[in-house]
Amino acid sequence: MFLRLLRRPGTISRAYFHSSSPLWLTRKVVHQFKLADIGEGITECEIIKWSVAPSKTVQAFDALCEVQSDKASVEITSPFDGVVKELLVQEGEVAKVGAGLCLIEVEEEVDESTPEPTPAVKEETARPVETSSPAEPARRTHPLDPSFTPSKDSSSADSVLAPPSVRHYARQQGVDLVQLAPGSGKGGRIEKNDIDAFIAKSAGRTTESVSSEEDVVVELGRTRYGMWKAMVKSLEIPHFGYSTSLDITALHNLLPTLNTHIPPHFLVSPPKAAHMVVNPSSIYPAPTHPEIPEEHRYKRLTYLPILLKTLSKAMLEWPLLRSSITPAKADSKPTLTVRPHTDINIALSTPTGLYTPTLAQADKYSVYTLASTLQALAHRGRQVPCALTPADMPRRGGTITVSNVGAIGAGEYASPVLVPGGGVAIVALGRAKWVWDVDGERGEKGGERRLKLGVSWSADHRVVEGAELAAFVESWRGWVEAPERLIAEGL
């Protein structure tokens, strides 16, 4: 009997076993994608550009939109595979953190299996339940992929080779990249000069012009409006101003030596390694420097990184100038938080507005590393939109802000403005000028030609006394006018 049953497995399964057929269904659910917290202290963002449109299929990690905050621009990607149903915030509008940006329809699988006993007398074999679901959209091949083949019906700018910065520049100028392909760059890539040439050519055919006799109303951009609000708040701070000049002749004489010995990995074009007769790695590998990104490299040192290094030395001697203010709360007094290291803000004028990235723990940097960091910040700030990140401009900020206005004009002095959250002091560096110095011992000898740098300070008079600011500046002078002291401290 047992052998006969083995020859009829269908009879065994139907008569003696309980079975259930899994039923997998799909349902469509619309998710509201919300603006997440993209950085400390950021409460709202402006939508610069949508990369998708309603009814467009997106996959996880595809770019949805580009947003601009007070601090930086960020590209937001999709967390879902699905179809965009609606854009809740349009380009140019401001979205609050936590507010919905768009609606995305997602297909979700649901297990609807329920156990059912199968009758022993039924001979038909159960068929799996078929559910119709749209085919998963194929992921697009990147244009730089060797297997990429542009579709014949593709007339989108996505199929054109161009760097992201060039794409954004084209959007700003209203130029369709498809009209410029192939470009003059490597492999047909479109470069910025291709767009400029196209615009110049189009301008020759354009006869329309805006009348200069009419008033034009221009709305403030997000960054400039942020500056507006910060300057209004600055009126709450009583300023104490102090101006003087620093003799940077010795620093000027030291600069050629420092430029001659810039570590090769910081240079834009590192020299070829010289052949060494004696191998320093004969018994153990000599230390090597990490690869420095291109935007961190520079050609020569300027005065600024050395001035920042000497300023950090003076700040270590003065805890008051490396402290930050915590405003008063209910039934409590304001407090000062003294930091163990020196955090310095750098005022940076960019095409999209004024930013103040922070050099955190600047006292730990060498002069060469400071120069490299400044170069990287300037590079990111020059991008359109601004490529500075929240990490470059932390909410904590610095305790002193440095504005190098002398690099722009010929002014020697200024009246810098301190804003809430910008630290306890700000200094504006003027244009360095050669003067005939007849003060002190030099005057007794008929004078001497010296290089002088005008510096203008403003401090928060609620916590910094005038005498304290003047004494701190003199401490800084001791480092600037005798840069040889850095040798003993270690560059």
Side-chain angles (χ1 to χ4, degrees):
M1 177 65 180
F2 180 73
L3 293 176
R4 286 198 297 271
L5 289 176
L6 286 180
R7 296 189 187 98
R8 296 164 56 187
T11 305
I12 294 178
S13 63
R14 294 184 181 91
Y16 298 96
F17 293 95
H18 178 275
S19 65
S20 62
S21 58
L23 181 62
W24 293 94
L25 300 177
T26 60
R27 64 177 180 181
K28 294 183 178 181
V29 180
V30 176
H31 290 274
Q32 184 184 71
F33 179 63
K34 298 180 179 180
L35 176 62
D37 187 357
I38 62 174
E40 189 177 7
I42 297 176
T43 59
E44 59 183 17
C45 293
E46 179 184 355
I47 306 299
I48 298 178
K49 168 189 169 290
W50 278 104
S51 301
V52 296
S55 302
K56 180 178 179 181
T57 300
V58 294
Q59 294 180 327
F61 304 108
D62 281 356
L64 285 180
C65 63
E66 215 172 283
V67 300
Q68 173 78 50
S69 69
D70 289 333
K71 297 184 175 183
S73 62
V74 179
E75 184 180 73
I76 295 181
T77 58
S78 173
F80 310 114
D81 292 342
V83 178
V84 178
K85 303 301 291 183
E86 182 182 354
L87 304 182
L88 303 179
V89 184
Q90 302 304 315
E91 293 182 2
E93 294 181 353
V94 175
K96 298 286 185 180
V97 170
L101 292 181
C102 63
L103 300 179
I104 302 178
E105 185 181 69
V106 180
E107 287 191 352
E108 296 182 349
E109 291 183 341
V110 182
D111 184 4
E112 297 289 347
S113 60
T114 55
E116 285 184 8
T118 305
V121 296
K122 195 167 184 178
E123 298 293 334
E124 292 96 356
T125 305
R127 297 180 182 178
V129 178
E130 297 180 358
T131 59
S132 61
S133 60
E136 182 181 355
R139 183 174 289 275
R140 293 170 297 173
T141 308
H142 194 277
L144 295 182
D145 194 306
S147 61
F148 171 74
T149 53
S151 58
K152 296 180 180 180
D153 58 346
S154 174
S155 59
S156 158
D158 294 338
S159 61
V160 177
L161 295 180
S165 59
V166 174
R167 291 182 182 276
H168 185 83
Y169 181 66
R171 289 194 297 269
Q172 280 193 318
Q173 303 299 326
V175 175
D176 185 2
L177 291 178
V178 175
Q179 303 180 40
L180 307 183
S184 60
K186 183 178 179 181
R189 289 172 175 79
I190 296 177
E191 304 291 347
K192 183 175 179 292
N193 58 351
D194 295 327
I195 300 175
D196 293 335
F198 179 81
I199 293 173
K201 185 177 179 181
S202 300
R205 297 191 295 260
T206 303
T207 58
E208 298 178 359
S209 62
V210 179
S211 173
S212 60
E213 300 297 326
E214 299 178 359
D215 294 342
V216 178
V217 178
V218 179
E219 292 188 4
L220 295 180
R222 177 169 183 79
T223 304
R224 198 166 294 272
Y225 180 57
M227 184 172 67
W228 169 291
K229 293 188 291 185
M231 291 300 108
V232 171
K233 289 183 179 180
S234 71
L235 300 176
E236 302 173 2
I237 301 177
H239 287 55
F240 175 81
Y242 182 81
S243 298
T244 185
S245 62
L246 304 177
D247 190 332
I248 61 172
T249 308
L251 190 155
H252 174 77
N253 295 334
L254 179 64
L255 204 57
T257 302
L258 297 179
N259 273 319
T260 302
H261 296 88
I262 295 176
H265 62 287
F266 283 123
L267 292 172
V268 174
S269 301
K272 293 184 179 179
H275 175 70
M276 303 186 68
V277 179
V278 180
N279 183 10
S281 303
S282 57
I283 63 168
Y284 190 81
T288 57
H289 296 287
E291 185 68 20
I292 301 296
E294 191 68 29
E295 62 269 18
H296 287 248
R297 301 183 183 184
Y298 53 92
K299 296 181 179 179
R300 61 183 181 86
L301 282 177
T302 61
Y303 299 127
L304 183 58
I306 307 176
L307 292 171
L308 292 175
K309 183 66 178 180
T310 54
L311 180 62
S312 69
K313 291 292 185 182
M315 291 172 67
L316 290 176
E317 299 173 355
W318 280 81
L320 175 61
L321 274 299
R322 48 185 167 87
S323 61
S324 55
I325 301 174
T326 302
K329 297 181 180 179
D331 301 328
S332 65
K333 298 179 181 178
T335 59
L336 286 176
T337 302
V338 180
R339 305 180 185 181
H341 296 282
T342 61
D343 300 329
I344 303 175
N345 293 332
I346 303 296
L348 189 61
S349 178
T350 73
T352 54
L354 179 65
Y355 295 90
T356 52
T358 303
L359 295 173
Q361 301 184 1
D363 55 295
K364 289 187 173 183
Y365 294 174
S366 68
V367 170
Y368 296 119
T369 305
L370 283 171
S372 176
T373 306
L374 290 171
Q375 179 70 18
L377 292 175
H379 172 79
R380 291 196 285 270
R382 285 193 298 266
Q383 305 305 307
V384 179
C386 182
L388 292 170
T389 66
D392 296 325
M393 294 174 290
R395 186 177 182 182
R396 174 184 173 93
T399 61
I400 288 181
T401 301
V402 177
S403 177
N404 189 21
V405 295
I408 305 299
E412 298 179 62
Y413 301 97
S415 298
V417 178
L418 191 63
V419 300
V424 295
I426 182 173
V427 59
L429 308 179
R431 171 77 71 174
K433 293 185 178 181
W434 289 97
V435 299
W436 193 255
D437 189 358
V438 293
D439 290 341
E441 297 179 358
R442 297 189 184 95
E444 297 176 1
K445 299 177 182 179
E448 187 177 342
R449 186 171 178 263
R450 309 291 293 182
L451 184 61
K452 296 294 185 76
L453 174 70
V455 294
S456 306
W457 284 86
S458 289
D460 191 333
H461 211 2
R462 296 175 298 180
V463 294
V464 180
E465 298 178 6
E468 291 172 329
L469 179 60
F472 168 74
V473 175
E474 291 306 309
S475 175
W476 183 31
R477 182 195 303 277
W479 288 97
V480 173
E481 297 188 355
E484 300 86 355
R485 294 176 60 186
L486 294 173
I487 299 175
E489 294 288 335
L491 289 173

